Amino acid sequence: MRMRLPAMATAVIVIVLGGWWAEAQWASHRKLASLGNLDPRGSYEIRLDFAPERFHQLRLQEAGRLVEVRERTVFMMDVEPAALRAIAGEYWVEAVSRWNRS
Amino acid sequence: MTNAVALPALAPPRLASRRVTRVLKGAAGVLLLLAAWQISVPLVGLGSYFYPSPSDVAAAFVDLMRKGILPVYFADSMLRYVAGLSAGAVLGVAVGVLIGLHRGIAVTLSPLLKFLFAIVEVAWIPIFVVWFGYGIKTIILALVYVVFFPVLYNTLVGVRTAPQILVNALRSLGANRWQVLRYAIVPSALPGIITGLRVGAGFAFRGLVFAEIIAAKTGIGYLIFEGTQTQQTARTIVGMIVMGLTWLAIDLCYLRPLERATIERWGLTVDAEQRT
């Protein structure tokens, strides 16, 4: 009886984390659907909802080589598919498209 | 034939209504503080860098959530906190039981432990950074250090105050050392261990902020530090509020019920509710 509150709190945490994870998977799938097959080490434009801060740049640098930041868009090279899926799952990433470096 | 006399019913004060009253009074205190804070901002007349208003802080909270910074920092901090707390508690209980059971080990380790206890974790962090670099290892070690001592001392007291009559009874029934530990010493030490854990958990929360300020690039402690560095004081206050609320939630949802349940099951029979 006394341990009902900890059990309920744990259940809430598990549900929130599960929901968060499921939403990230769905968001990643939705944002990358138009790209088709992903290159083993591709170049991409990552568009955010806002101008990226240091936090976002560091997070993106973990996924590949950050080449340039132009207003709300971050240009990246050498991004592996798994890393791109993880980045696309972030809710602060608005859209992902291929970067044709010509 | 007897006449039954109806005594006036002395209804005990209802626990639920008492709780609601307590919550309402607590909420009123918080609202009063917020109102005073908001009113004082134009009177003080300083910029939001020096003295942000509650609305600035609320806006900073929304911004941090929208940009995904706060959830990641919060998750990082909690991960470090749980890891450090768990490791520190396990180590503290193990060493506490060992010292409590063996006089020789107690004599050998006592001066060293007293010496180490006097050195606060903040003093260790720069050395940990040199040894383990910036990041999770250093932070977890600092937390282990903070949690270890309160758990150790409370475990020690619990082990040493285990009822000797119970230990003797078990021994006379042929119990081995493990059974004495399992059925007499650990149960009687549990209330002390849980109290130590609760105290250590509080210390660890403070230690987490220190450690993240010095040795991390993410986390709520880092947010508190970074806010002032980037002249976003409202973000610092968001970090402080998140810290405070998280501690309240941990204490309310986990530590207090755990302590209450342990005391009721193995320790004193007073209602822990009355003590808080």
Side-chain angles (χ1 to χ4, degrees):
Chain A
M1 189 69 178
R2 286 291 189 195
M3 298 307 282
R4 203 170 57 183
L5 189 58
M8 278 168 59
T10 307
V12 169
I13 291 168
V14 169
I15 290 167
V16 168
L17 289 177
W20 189 282
W21 180 83
E23 207 285 323
Q25 299 303 308
W26 165 243
S28 171
H29 177 76
R30 186 166 40 82
K31 289 172 200 170
L32 300 178
S34 62
L35 298 183
N37 288 336
L38 300 174
D39 304 330
R41 295 180 82 82
S43 299
Y44 300 97
E45 294 180 22
I46 317 285
R47 201 168 73 244
L48 275 57
D49 240 355
F50 43 82
E53 291 192 23
R54 186 170 169 276
F55 164 81
H56 306 98
Q57 293 182 20
L58 289 175
R59 176 78 184 86
L60 291 169
Q61 273 173 358
E62 289 170 11
R65 204 136 51 97
L66 194 154
V67 179
E68 192 185 347
V69 178
R70 223 179 288 159
E71 293 177 359
R72 297 188 309 154
T73 307
V74 180
F75 296 87
M76 297 191 63
M77 285 170 61
D78 297 336
V79 185
E80 294 180 2
L84 187 70
R85 282 190 203 100
I87 286 295
E90 301 284 5
Y91 69 82
W92 41 268
V93 169
E94 197 176 74
V96 178
S97 55
R98 282 189 206 284
W99 178 26
N100 298 314
R101 302 166 53 233
S102 53
Chain B
M1 193 174 167
T2 57
N3 291 328
V5 179
L7 293 170
L10 290 170
R14 289 174 59 195
L15 197 62
S17 69
R18 265 192 4 229
R19 275 185 184 158
V20 169
T21 311
R22 273 173 63 175
V23 168
L24 286 176
K25 280 181 181 170
V30 173
L31 286 174
L32 206 65
L33 175 75
L34 284 174
W37 180 8
Q38 184 71 51
I39 290 165
S40 70
V41 170
L43 298 175
V44 171
L46 294 170
S48 64
Y49 168 62
F50 286 101
Y51 192 51
S53 65
S55 51
D56 290 333
V57 174
F61 173 78
V62 171
D63 188 50
L64 285 166
M65 287 301 290
R66 188 174 73 91
K67 292 180 174 173
I69 298 172
L70 193 57
V72 171
Y73 281 7
F74 181 75
D76 284 356
S77 286
M78 287 302 103
L79 193 70
R80 293 163 186 158
Y81 180 70
V82 171
L85 184 63
S86 311
V90 168
L91 201 65
V93 169
V95 177
V97 169
L98 199 70
I99 291 176
L101 294 179
H102 298 278
R103 185 64 64 182
I105 295 175
V107 171
T108 309
L109 289 183
S110 187
L112 178 68
L113 290 171
K114 282 176 185 164
F115 169 76
L116 291 173
F117 184 53
I119 304 171
V120 292
E121 78 283 1
V122 184
W124 280 101
I125 295 172
I127 296 287
F128 289 156
V129 168
V130 171
W131 290 341
F132 304 104
Y134 289 96
I136 193 161
K137 278 186 207 163
T138 294
I139 295 167
I140 288 178
L141 267 175
L143 296 188
V144 167
Y145 188 83
V146 172
V147 175
F148 175 73
F149 288 101
V151 174
L152 167 81
Y153 284 119
N154 281 283
T155 305
L156 194 58
V157 170
V159 169
R160 285 192 176 160
T161 55
Q164 196 57 41
I165 191 165
L166 196 60
V167 174
N168 291 342
L170 279 168
R171 279 186 184 147
S172 69
L173 289 168
N176 57 29
R177 282 172 74 94
W178 167 249
Q179 285 168 325
V180 170
L181 190 72
R182 163 82 179 78
Y183 295 109
I185 293 170
V186 169
S188 69
L190 264 177
I193 292 171
I194 299 300
T195 302
L197 186 66
R198 195 175 171 193
V199 173
F203 286 172
F205 223 67
R206 294 167 205 174
L208 181 69
V209 178
F210 284 131
E212 285 183 342
I213 285 174
I214 297 172
K217 292 292 172 204
T218 61
I220 299 296
Y222 178 71
L223 175 71
I224 290 170
F225 176 68
E226 189 195 31
T228 54
Q229 295 296 299
T230 55
Q231 303 201 346
Q232 293 172 298
T233 316
R235 284 191 174 189
T236 296
I237 296 174
V238 169
M240 290 160 67
I241 292 171
V242 168
M243 268 320 216
L245 290 177
T246 307
W247 168 250
L248 284 180
I250 291 172
D251 193 48
L252 184 75
C253 296
Y254 290 101
L255 299 174
R256 217 188 291 181
L258 191 65
E259 188 182 45
R260 211 177 290 158
T262 312
I263 287 173
E264 280 181 6
R265 173 70 180 81
W266 284 289
L268 305 169
T269 51
V270 294
D271 186 1
E273 179 80 20
Q274 304 297 324
R275 301 183 301 114
T276 55

